[in-house]
Amino acid sequence: MKILGIETSCDETAAAVVEDGCRILSSVVSSQVEVHHPYGGVVPELASRKHIEVIGPVVDQALAEAGVRPGDLDALAATRGPGLVGALLVGFSFARAYAYARQIPWVGVNHLEGHLNSVFLSEPVPDFPFVALLASGGHTAVYLVKSHTRAECLGQTRDDAAGEAFDKVAKMLELGYPGGAMISRLAASGDPGRFRFPRAYLDKEAFDFSFSGIKTAVKRHIETHSDYREHLADIAAGFEAAVVAVMADKLILAAEKHHCSDIALVGGVAANAALRRRVEQAAESRGMSLFVPDMKLCGDNAAMIAAAGYHYLSDPVFAGERLDADVYSRVKFID
Ligand code: KG4
Ligand code: ZN
């Protein structure tokens, strides 16, 4: 079964063709980084306009790269939420119209379920149930993943998402936008032990996160150290070490509590090398297996939406999407 996936929840216009929920025939991601770079963050209105401009060509490119004609498609899957409503509406309406014109099924996919399904796009794959840390620019949460379409949220951030904290700290250090990759590159040459930033474990036994305190601590450090530009790498390394430690420890603790030996890291922040390293080491010493998507599938993409869509279509709760279905901006999870 060949599914065309479409993702436009934030600042990436993406289309992909995936076969049987696991084989990627093409995956095209058109980034809007240059559009939003001057503003230091995503401007929703500009994001919607850019999606409208490029959605057609991006879909054409995905079909061409897959060697698939529109008539070969069996179904469509588009991100329904959470995300920026104006941005979501572009991909969602496009998919609905495209499927309607060709009289094929279509389904709206939860973006977070998309990220959770990204680990099924490369071999080997985890067994259900497994515990996953989803860390991106908009979300940070730990899930007990029970099936392709069912995940229980065990805990989530009470304020900023991890990627958002990376981006805000990068902005403070004048490293540019988006900042996650830049902080992590800089941190590689820094000393993580020189400056110790707070690690917010909150309730040690629970799986909620808070990243606003560490952001404030970095801000205070900058304000009180006029020479901070001379030790940017050490600040980046100290910040990264603190964020990574909390996320890794909570993921492992959740897996132990729920007796899962398979764990996963997904979302844009899963591209972080220090996080991968720390979780890998912790998993190895406990006999757990870690599953991480390919680097290019950590960030937003449409292959993960097509993969999740494949399973949604065979789930009676989601299949048979109503024509008047709408997008949603906030997290909505079905357990
Ligand atoms: O999943 P994603 O592409 O979009 C959302 O759904 O939010 O995640 C983007 C986030 C950004 O905040 C970006 O700074 C962060 O992922 N990110 C990283 C790294 N690469 C991307 N954060 C830390 N280390 C990285 N190497
Ligand atoms: Zn995402």
Side-chain angles (χ1 to χ4, degrees):
M1 186 180 204
K2 292 187 183 75
I3 297 187
L4 172 65
I6 293 181
E7 152 65 36
T8 62
S9 67
C10 191
D11 60 345
E12 257 105 26
T13 316
V17 181
V18 174
E19 194 165 32
D20 297 337
C22 60
R23 269 186 306 287
I24 301 178
L25 304 185
S26 67
S27 178
V28 178
V29 179
S30 169
S31 168
Q32 300 182 357
V33 162
E34 277 172 23
V35 174
H36 304 289
H37 188 271
Y39 306 95
V42 178
V43 183
E45 162 95 15
L46 297 181
S48 310
R49 288 174 185 272
K50 194 68 188 170
H51 285 310
I52 290 173
E53 201 181 304
V54 304
I55 183 85
V58 165
V59 166
D60 288 346
Q61 191 184 337
L63 291 175
E65 286 182 14
V68 162
R69 288 166 305 174
D72 300 332
L73 291 171
D74 297 296
L76 267 87
T79 306
R80 189 170 170 191
L84 302 170
V85 164
L88 286 162
L89 277 170
V90 177
F92 193 68
S93 307
F94 186 98
R96 188 158 49 177
Y98 202 97
Y100 185 66
R102 283 166 184 79
Q103 291 295 298
I104 54 175
W106 67 284
V107 71
V109 169
N110 181 311
H111 180 81
L112 308 177
E113 296 259 33
H115 276 300
L116 293 175
N117 274 282
S118 63
V119 285
F120 294 95
L121 289 165
S122 47
E123 295 276 344
V125 300
D127 288 327
F128 295 113
F130 64 92
V131 171
L133 171 75
L134 192 171
S136 70
H139 306 275
T140 298
V142 176
Y143 295 98
L144 178 61
V145 186
K146 299 171 181 176
S147 75
H148 289 286
T149 56
R150 297 281 184 287
E152 180 188 346
C153 182
L154 302 175
Q156 59 187 315
T157 183
R158 296 182 186 171
D159 39 59
D160 292 344
E164 192 180 355
F166 268 94
D167 294 340
K168 286 180 179 168
V169 166
K171 198 170 176 179
M172 284 179 214
L173 302 179
E174 294 161 24
L175 299 177
Y177 165 85
M182 293 184 208
I183 294 237
S184 102
R185 210 171 305 132
L186 191 60
S189 61
D191 172 7
R194 180 165 175 201
F195 304 114
R196 195 178 161 83
F197 292 109
R199 288 154 165 75
Y201 281 93
L202 306 175
D203 177 351
K204 272 262 181 195
E205 293 300 309
F207 307 111
D208 279 354
F209 301 91
S210 169
F211 297 110
S212 65
I214 184 165
K215 194 184 63 190
T216 311
V218 174
K219 186 163 184 272
R220 205 173 316 119
H221 181 99
I222 290 172
E223 285 165 358
T224 53
H225 294 73
S226 55
D227 62 343
Y228 78 90
R229 283 195 183 80
E230 286 158 33
H231 50 256
L232 285 181
D234 295 336
I235 298 175
F239 163 78
E240 182 182 71
V243 172
V244 160
V246 176
M247 290 195 295
D249 291 353
K250 295 233 177 220
L251 171 61
I252 296 291
L253 187 65
E256 284 175 338
K257 188 170 171 193
H258 291 273
H259 311 290
C260 290
S261 57
D262 285 356
I263 58 173
L265 282 178
V266 298
V269 183
N272 184 277
L275 177 63
R276 286 175 176 235
R277 234 180 359 253
R278 182 159 173 146
V279 174
E280 180 78 63
Q281 282 164 2
E284 214 173 282
S285 66
R286 288 166 179 79
M288 294 176 181
S289 304
L290 172 64
F291 298 83
V292 191
D294 283 352
M295 226 44 163
K296 58 184 184 310
L297 296 173
C298 288
D300 288 346
N301 65 87
M304 67 184 196
I305 301 302
Y310 172 79
H311 299 285
Y312 272 47
L313 284 165
S314 52
D315 185 327
V317 173
F318 303 102
E321 198 72 80
R322 286 160 45 129
L323 263 184
D324 60 353
D326 203 358
V327 299
Y328 50 87
S329 61
R330 309 283 302 250
V331 177
K332 192 162 118 182
F333 243 86
I334 296 170
D335 175 30

